[in-house]
Amino acid sequence: EGLRMTVSSPFPSTFMRVHYWAGVLLVLLTVLQKHITLRMGAKRPDLAEAHKYLGYVVTALVCFMAYGGYSMRHNSTFEGFEFAMLLFVAPWVCFVLIVPASAYLKWGITHIVSGDALFKACIAVPLARCLGTLLQRYMPLSEGYYIGIATSAVTIGMWAITD
């Protein structure tokens, strides 16, 4: 059994599928993108084109994942969930704007830092869901959900700072 939530009505299946599949593909494709990036550099400039087009796909998937999740916010009965969804969606909106804009404007350091943050965020989401699922066994559903997200966000944030 996975992460649980109390709802006022079932989640719309279209939004649920979009949110789910975009999230799964994001994890896989950001790992691939990281792999390409690490090999690109001066040794493999031929990978720049693949990096660029994969970046477009990743950006689209971020939009789909965030839109699908945000569209289901009204179904949850967790207290404060609508506000929590704003906090969850805000960084993804920033990634959608900053990562491609920094590439287009050739702001190399900004692109590297924001792309790395996006990679870490894509790793954090499954971690948050797994931790939330575990915590929900020992505390109320909403507390486990929120604490799982907060703990993984802090952990990934510390990882980003140490980089």
Side-chain angles (χ1 to χ4, degrees):
E1 192 169 309
L3 192 61
R4 293 174 290 159
M5 179 180 291
T6 54
V7 294
S8 58
S9 60
F11 289 122
S13 62
T14 302
F15 292 137
M16 179 65 94
R17 275 184 257 152
V18 165
H19 180 66
Y20 172 83
W21 283 109
V24 168
L25 290 171
L26 263 175
V27 172
L28 298 172
L29 293 181
T30 54
V31 169
L32 176 61
Q33 184 74 308
K34 187 70 160 177
H35 178 77
I36 289 171
T37 303
L38 293 173
R39 273 137 193 80
M40 203 164 61
K43 296 178 186 175
R44 297 288 310 270
D46 57 309
L47 293 175
E49 196 75 6
H51 175 78
K52 176 181 170 181
Y53 289 112
L54 187 55
Y56 293 147
V57 173
V58 166
T59 300
L61 287 171
V62 169
C63 292
F64 284 121
M65 185 270 307
Y67 179 74
Y70 191 73
S71 297
M72 296 185 291
R73 71 193 180 281
H74 298 300
N75 297 77
S76 174
T77 60
F78 284 178
E79 185 164 336
F81 190 73
E82 291 212 24
F83 178 71
M85 281 303 298
L86 287 175
L87 294 177
F88 179 78
V89 169
W92 300 101
V93 171
C94 292
F95 293 140
V96 164
L97 298 173
I98 294 170
V99 175
S102 62
Y104 178 78
L105 296 169
K106 299 191 185 328
W107 295 347
I109 299 299
T110 302
H111 185 67
I112 291 167
V113 170
S114 60
D116 198 47
L118 173 59
F119 170 73
K120 288 174 175 65
C122 289
I123 299 302
V125 171
L127 174 65
R129 290 184 177 277
C130 291
L131 185 57
T133 298
L134 179 67
L135 292 173
Q136 283 181 332
R137 294 181 182 178
Y138 305 102
M139 58 184 57
L141 293 181
S142 61
E143 287 180 28
Y145 185 90
Y146 291 137
I147 292 172
I149 290 172
T151 303
S152 65
V154 168
T155 303
I156 297 298
M158 291 187 323
W159 177 23
I161 289 169
T162 59
D163 273 359

